[in-house]
């Protein structure tokens, strides 16, 4: 793993470059990054308010910190007129720092309580296609509470995403709806009735991208914790129907890893 030198850390905290791994993300002084980049985004007058919001979350995990900063920036954006707000949002979306773009995912999907789930997902799609792995994770974490609250509607909206030529978009459709998820709340309805997720899983059961395969396998492995018989039946069906298909075989292997450990 690359060594985080003082010079490298300074570059990360002035917002001139992106992180290479989770360790670098965790090493960033978020307050310093806020102080360095907000004036350049046209949000200098909101610096104190954003720092105050961050201070309340600074003792918590990184997910709480990114969310708090992003939501504070979202509030700041809404104090500007529409033209100014859009200009500032564009600067956020195109910022060279993946951490700043991660803030933007929360700022733009959570700041307006009047947004519909479709609106939130439409905004999140930009971040779901980001070149940086970290921004792609924060993109679904930002909208996960709304997906969990309206899971039926979310599945219906995300079904078309499974047809996207971009594997990052296809992966978002699955990762954002995982029954148990990572760093987020569980979705009780999918733990009880994982078959609800088939409109997202079936189109991807032979997906050529390993990134997508891993997400589908992890989704089913989540489901196996509460619906083992259902996952076992589905994986047997997929294995038979896709005999000789390496992508399906890889997904199935990943999906049943917990079942194998449990002797199922």
């Amino acid at each position: 793993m690359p060594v985080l030198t003082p010079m490298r850390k300074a570059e990360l905290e002035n917002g001139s470059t992106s992180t290479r791994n989770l360790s670098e993300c965790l090493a960033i002084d978020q307050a310093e990054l806020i102080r360095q980049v907000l004036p350049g985004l046209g949000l200098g007058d909101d610096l104190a308010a954003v720092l105050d919001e961050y201070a309340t979350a600074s003792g918590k995990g990184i997910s709480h910190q990114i969310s708090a900063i992003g939501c504070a920036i979202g509030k700041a954006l809404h104090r500007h007129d529409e033209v100014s707000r859009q200009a500032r949002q564009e600067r956020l979306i195109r910022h060279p720092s993946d951490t700043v773009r991660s803030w933007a995912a929360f700022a733009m999907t959570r700041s307006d309580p009047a947004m519909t789930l479709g609106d939130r997902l439409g905004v999140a799609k930009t971040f779901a296609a980001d070149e940086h792995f970290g921004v792609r994770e924060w993109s679904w974490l930002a909208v996960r509470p709304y997906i969990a609250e309206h899971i039926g509607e979310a599945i219906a909206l995300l079904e078309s995403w499974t047809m996207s030529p971009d594997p990052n978009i296809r992966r978002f459709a699955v990762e954002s709806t995982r029954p148990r998820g990572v760093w987020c709340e569980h979705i009780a309805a999918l733990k009880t009735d994982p078959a609800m997720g088939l409109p997202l899983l079936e189109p991807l059961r032979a997906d050529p991208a390993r990134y997508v395969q891993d997400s589908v396998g992890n989704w089913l492995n989540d489901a196996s914790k509460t619906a083992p018989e259902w996952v076992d039946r589905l994986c047997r069906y997929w294995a038979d129907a896709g005999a000789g298909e390496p992508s399906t075989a890889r997904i199935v292997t990943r999906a049943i890893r917990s079942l194998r450990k449990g002797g199922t």
Side-chain angles (χ1 to χ4, degrees):
M1 182 178 295
V3 175
L4 181 61
T5 64
M7 181 179 295
R8 171 71 179 168
K9 189 171 187 291
E11 290 173 347
L12 291 171
E13 291 175 351
N14 66 29
S16 62
T17 190
S18 284
T19 61
R20 295 174 294 197
N21 49 54
L22 179 58
S23 294
E24 288 193 343
C25 176
L26 296 174
I28 290 174
D29 181 338
Q30 298 285 330
E32 180 62 20
L33 184 59
I34 292 167
R35 286 189 287 266
Q36 291 279 349
V37 305
L38 254 62
L41 293 168
L43 296 170
D45 291 343
D46 304 289
L47 182 60
V50 175
L51 284 170
D52 284 347
E53 289 292 331
Y54 166 67
T56 65
S58 60
K60 301 179 182 179
I62 187 65
S63 59
H64 292 280
Q65 295 174 28
I66 297 293
S67 174
I69 296 167
C71 290
I73 290 173
K75 292 178 184 176
L77 288 171
H78 278 273
R79 287 194 283 271
H80 296 270
D81 63 80
E82 185 175 353
V83 173
S84 297
R85 182 167 64 249
Q86 289 180 351
R88 287 163 172 78
Q89 288 175 342
E90 282 299 313
R91 292 180 202 170
L92 281 162
I93 291 170
R94 301 179 185 279
H95 201 277
S97 167
D98 66 285
T99 304
V100 174
R101 298 199 302 279
S102 299
W103 296 345
F106 285 86
M108 294 172 62
T109 60
R110 292 194 176 187
S111 59
D112 184 356
M115 290 176 76
T116 66
L117 178 59
D119 291 338
R120 296 184 202 278
L121 289 174
V123 172
K125 199 169 193 178
T126 296
F127 302 100
D130 196 274
E131 64 182 6
H132 194 278
F133 66 91
V135 180
R136 296 196 297 269
E137 292 304 304
W138 293 117
S139 71
W140 70 260
L141 283 164
V143 293
R144 170 79 172 192
Y146 308 101
I147 287 173
E149 185 178 2
H150 305 286
I151 187 60
E153 181 186 0
I155 290 170
L157 290 168
L158 291 169
E159 187 172 358
S160 65
W161 293 34
T162 66
M163 301 294 112
S164 172
D166 185 344
N168 295 325
I169 298 300
R170 301 197 302 274
R171 190 254 188 180
F172 179 102
V174 178
E175 195 69 19
S176 65
T177 60
R178 282 178 57 178
R180 301 177 81 88
V182 181
W183 292 3
C184 61
E185 74 226 69
H186 295 180
I187 300 179
L190 291 177
K191 291 167 67 176
T192 302
D193 182 16
M196 289 178 63
L198 283 175
L200 305 179
L201 302 173
E202 282 285 359
L204 303 176
R205 70 183 190 185
D207 197 277
R210 291 173 70 91
Y211 194 49
V212 180
Q213 294 168 20
D214 286 349
S215 190
V216 175
N218 289 339
W219 198 110
L220 289 169
N221 187 62
D222 281 356
S224 74
K225 309 293 178 59
T226 50
E229 296 84 2
W230 181 84
V231 172
D232 183 62
R233 286 196 305 271
L234 180 66
C235 287
R236 289 178 188 275
Y237 169 69
W238 280 9
D240 290 341
E245 170 53 60
S247 298
T248 303
R250 186 171 184 276
I251 289 171
V252 167
T253 297
R254 194 172 190 88
I256 63 175
R257 64 187 186 273
S258 293
L259 295 180
R260 284 179 170 171
K261 288 179 182 178
T264 302

